[in-house]
């Protein structure tokens, strides 16, 4: 993978109010390559396969990185809808850096940078075991929906076509609200 980078953008140091040791550099929109992300994701996510992060980085509203002695040890990506909504993705902390507040620091820095770029809302989806972490970051639980697409949907016919599994007949267009 080439690790193509998006067009350069201004960088900013971010103060998140979380005590993370001073040997760490946390930065919004600093330089970042796909190779660095693949190295971090291999360490943090079992089963990660090398990915071309060029298209991901090119579509980001922003990303926040954490480096120790120049080595990428934390990352979070934020995408936007072009308006007031931003979405937090891929919060990742190297296993050697966990349980020190770095994840919270990354998310709070991402929230502040998204606010500065015009977002009024920051959304995140997470599994139940991550609730306490996201609450420490400042999120409150809300109802949300999720639909499996592509190969994930093929594994489960209900995921592939939830309407067939639970048809809605209330409205003329199949919606509950009509």
């Amino acid at each position: 993978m080439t690790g193509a980078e998006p067009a350069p953008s201004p960088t900013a140091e971010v103060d998140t109010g979380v005590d993370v040791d001073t040997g760490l550099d946390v930065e919004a929109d600093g330089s970042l390559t796909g190779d660095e992300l693949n190295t971090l994701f291999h360490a943090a996510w079992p089963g990660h396969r090398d990915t071309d992060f060029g298209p991901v980085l090119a579509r980001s509203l922003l990303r926040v990185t954490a480096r120790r002695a120049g080595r990428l040890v934390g990352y979070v990506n934020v995408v936007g809808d072009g308006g007031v909504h931003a979405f937090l993705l891929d919060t990742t902390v190297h296993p050697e850096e966990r349980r020190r507040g770095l994840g919270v620091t990354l998310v709070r820095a991402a929230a502040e940078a998204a606010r500065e770029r015009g977002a009024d809302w920051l959304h995140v989806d997470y599994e139940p075991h991550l609730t306490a972490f996201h609450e420490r970051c400042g999120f409150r639980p809300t109802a949300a929906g999720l639909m499996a697409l592509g190969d994930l949907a093929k594994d489960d016919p209900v995921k592939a076509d939830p309407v067939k599994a639970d048809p809605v007949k209330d409205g003329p267009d199949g919606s509950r609200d009509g």
Side-chain angles (χ1 to χ4, degrees), residues 29-95:
D29 290 332
S31 65
L32 182 64
T33 68
D35 290 339
E36 289 178 302
L37 281 172
N38 276 312
T39 298
L40 175 61
F41 277 45
H42 278 295
W45 300 104
H48 172 74
R49 294 183 208 168
D50 279 349
T51 300
D52 178 5
F53 283 99
V56 172
L57 296 175
R59 289 175 177 82
S60 294
L61 175 65
L62 64 105
R63 72 241 177 227
V64 177
T65 57
R67 295 178 183 278
R68 181 178 303 285
R71 177 177 155 236
L72 184 67
V73 296
Y75 164 81
V76 67
N77 187 24
V78 178
V79 296
D81 69 349
V84 298
H85 296 273
F87 303 85
L88 190 70
L89 300 169
D90 297 331
T91 304
T92 304
V93 174
H94 193 284

Side-chain angles (χ1 to χ4, degrees), residues 19-26 67-68:
D19 290 331
V20 175
D21 64 83
T22 57
L24 212 57
D25 294 316
V26 177
R67 295 178 183 278
R68 181 178 303 285

Side-chain angles (χ1 to χ4, degrees), residues 2-169:
T2 62
E5 291 183 32
S9 60
T11 61
E13 296 286 330
V14 181
D15 178 13
T16 62
V18 174
D19 290 331
V20 175
D21 64 83
T22 57
L24 212 57
D25 294 316
V26 177
E27 188 175 46
D29 290 332
S31 65
L32 182 64
T33 68
D35 290 339
E36 289 178 302
L37 281 172
N38 276 312
T39 298
L40 175 61
F41 277 45
H42 278 295
W45 300 104
H48 172 74
R49 294 183 208 168
D50 279 349
T51 300
D52 178 5
F53 283 99
V56 172
L57 296 175
R59 289 175 177 82
S60 294
L61 175 65
L62 64 105
R63 72 241 177 227
V64 177
T65 57
R67 295 178 183 278
R68 181 178 303 285
R71 177 177 155 236
L72 184 67
V73 296
Y75 164 81
V76 67
N77 187 24
V78 178
V79 296
D81 69 349
V84 298
H85 296 273
F87 303 85
L88 190 70
L89 300 169
D90 297 331
T91 304
T92 304
V93 174
H94 193 284
E96 295 171 1
E97 300 285 338
R98 291 182 181 158
R99 307 261 182 237
R100 299 182 195 172
L102 178 54
V104 173
T105 296
L106 289 167
V107 172
R108 288 184 182 172
E112 179 61 22
R115 185 193 60 74
E116 289 173 357
R117 294 175 194 197
D120 289 332
W121 299 98
L122 183 60
H123 303 260
V124 65
D125 292 327
Y126 53 86
E127 295 176 1
H129 71 277
L130 295 171
T131 299
F133 166 75
H134 286 92
E135 287 175 349
R136 283 192 307 276
C137 293
F139 288 96
R140 61 180 173 81
T142 62
L146 180 65
M147 179 187 299
L149 303 174
D151 289 341
L152 294 174
K154 293 176 187 172
D155 295 336
D156 184 345
V158 173
K159 292 176 190 170
D161 192 349
V163 174
K164 286 182 181 174
D166 182 23
V168 178
K169 299 177 183 171

